Amino acid sequence: MAISSSKCRSNCHVRSISLPSRSHPTTLRIVDLINKLQSSWDAASTLSSGSVCAGLSGLEEVYVCLDDLLNMRSTQQTLSCSQQEGFINELLDGSVQLLDVCDYTRQTLLPLKEQVRSLRSALRRRKGESGIETGVAEYANFRKRMKKDAKRLMAALRKMATKLEDYELENEDHHLSSVMRVVRDANLLGTSIFQSLLSFMATPVSRPNKQISRWSIVSKLVHTKGAISWDQEEKQVDLNELECVDRALTTMCKHISREGVDGEKLQVAQCKLEDLEIEIGRIEDALEGLYRFLIRTRASLLNIMSQ
């Protein structure tokens, strides 16, 4: 089943924010970036690698401006002299979680890409039914492990978002309350986008039925909608890249005979795997840039706490 963007984002929505026009220009710039990114994020119809990359790139832009704000002398003096140590500590804890999730996805996408390459190689060599069967099963089993880890991290991000939302941010010091609000909302948007990335990585993989044939077992490992034909499913719902691979592998496995693999179905599976490998690379690039600025934001918060 395709992951609906509305379903995914309904549980991690960041409200549009606004600040008085007398706020610092950098603060207003961050508010504008957050609102624009949230608007485009909500408008995306499908949770695909393209929408995920756009979200990660937009989030990096937010954190670039946030880093500028946190390194302003006025901001550092305001936060270091305030009574908001608990809030800053919560932001520090949250920054660790975002870094952990970002690092997890970076570290997981590499072996996923290797699995895709390995399966592409197995299909290209056509070393018989057993070789293809092994490659598909290994890929599907890796996907299931990835889904389990992703769901665990999504739960941690939801807890983090709840804590941040519960903080009272109103303060007589306008600059302090403005800074606290944009930092909080940048982190909330980060949890939202990372939850969506993890949802993309946790695309469902069905468990096999032990009573069916071995090729049907491989098919079930990657099968999500067996009752709907390829053309019918394509018309009914947009599929992300992982689901497109699942569907192509399922169809290919169903058309294997003693004479070998159906050439047309094999070619489709190879093309879908190639597309997935390209998109994984794009997500990796977007994560690399964002990861650097998440580290810088954490360093800036630590520097403020030490003053």
Side-chain angles (χ1 to χ4, degrees), residues 41-288:
W41 191 243
D42 289 340
S45 60
T46 305
L47 185 55
S48 64
S49 64
S51 62
V52 168
C53 283
L56 293 172
S57 297
L59 190 60
E60 179 184 347
E61 190 175 0
V62 170
Y63 275 97
V64 169
C65 288
L66 187 60
D67 186 64
D68 291 339
L69 178 65
L70 292 175
N71 282 288
M72 289 170 48
R73 182 177 296 274
S74 59
T75 300
Q76 293 181 348
Q77 290 177 342
T78 299
L79 287 176
S80 62
C81 296
S82 73
Q83 302 299 314
Q84 300 296 332
E85 183 176 339
F87 176 70
I88 297 178
N89 281 328
E90 199 64 54
L91 290 177
L92 284 170
D93 290 342
S95 69
V96 171
Q97 285 187 306
L98 287 178
L99 280 168
D100 285 346
V101 172
C102 190
D103 189 54
Y104 161 78
T105 52
R106 290 165 68 232
Q107 298 300 324
T108 302
L109 288 173
L110 179 59
L112 174 60
K113 187 161 61 176
E114 291 174 349
Q115 288 284 339
V116 171
R117 287 175 176 173
S118 177
L119 183 52
R120 286 183 63 195
S121 178
L123 297 184
R124 187 167 55 249
R125 292 193 304 267
R126 299 194 189 191
K127 286 191 174 181
E129 177 181 315
S130 60
I132 294 177
E133 177 186 32
T134 300
V136 174
E138 288 178 354
Y139 168 80
N141 286 331
F142 178 85
R143 284 275 315 282
K144 289 198 291 184
R145 294 193 300 270
M146 185 173 69
K147 174 187 175 182
K148 181 179 179 180
D149 290 340
K151 292 180 71 174
R152 172 180 55 82
L153 290 172
M154 288 170 64
L157 286 175
R158 285 193 291 268
K159 289 182 180 179
M160 170 186 164
T162 300
K163 288 182 179 180
L164 288 174
E165 288 175 338
D166 288 343
Y167 262 95
E168 178 57 52
L169 301 181
E170 297 303 325
N171 192 285
E172 293 181 358
D173 185 326
H174 171 71
H175 183 57
L176 174 61
S177 61
S178 297
V179 170
M180 290 171 60
R181 189 172 299 280
V182 295
V183 174
R184 189 276 308 270
D185 286 326
N187 282 329
L188 281 175
L189 183 58
T191 64
S192 173
I193 290 175
F194 273 113
Q195 283 187 65
S196 294
L197 171 57
L198 291 168
S199 293
F200 172 80
M201 295 172 66
T203 299
V205 183
S206 300
R207 294 183 177 181
N209 185 335
K210 295 183 180 180
Q211 301 302 317
I212 56 182
S213 68
R214 61 178 179 147
W215 265 118
S216 295
I217 288 176
V218 175
S219 177
K220 285 289 283 183
L221 278 169
V222 297
H223 187 46
T224 56
K225 283 194 174 184
I228 301 177
S229 72
W230 184 297
D231 294 335
Q232 287 175 327
E233 187 176 19
E234 190 170 30
K235 292 177 181 178
Q236 287 186 13
V237 64
D238 291 326
L239 302 180
N240 66 41
E241 290 78 7
L242 286 168
E243 291 168 320
C244 285
V245 168
D246 287 353
R247 187 178 62 169
L249 293 177
T250 298
T251 303
M252 180 192 70
C253 291
K254 285 183 175 180
H255 289 81
I256 290 180
S257 64
R258 292 182 178 180
E259 286 73 30
V261 185
D262 182 285
E264 181 182 353
K265 304 299 186 298
L266 177 65
Q267 184 177 9
V268 170
Q270 289 173 322
C271 288
K272 296 302 180 183
L273 284 165
E274 182 180 4
D275 291 344
L276 177 58
E277 184 178 339
I278 292 172
E279 294 308 313
I280 291 172
R282 292 182 59 209
I283 295 176
E284 286 179 319
D285 291 341
L287 283 170
E288 286 298 325

Side-chain angles (χ1 to χ4, degrees), residues 80 84-86 88-89 92 300-307:
S80 62
Q84 300 296 332
E85 183 176 339
I88 297 178
N89 281 328
L92 284 170
S300 297
L301 289 171
L302 287 169
N303 181 51
I304 291 171
M305 286 292 292
S306 65
Q307 293 180 8

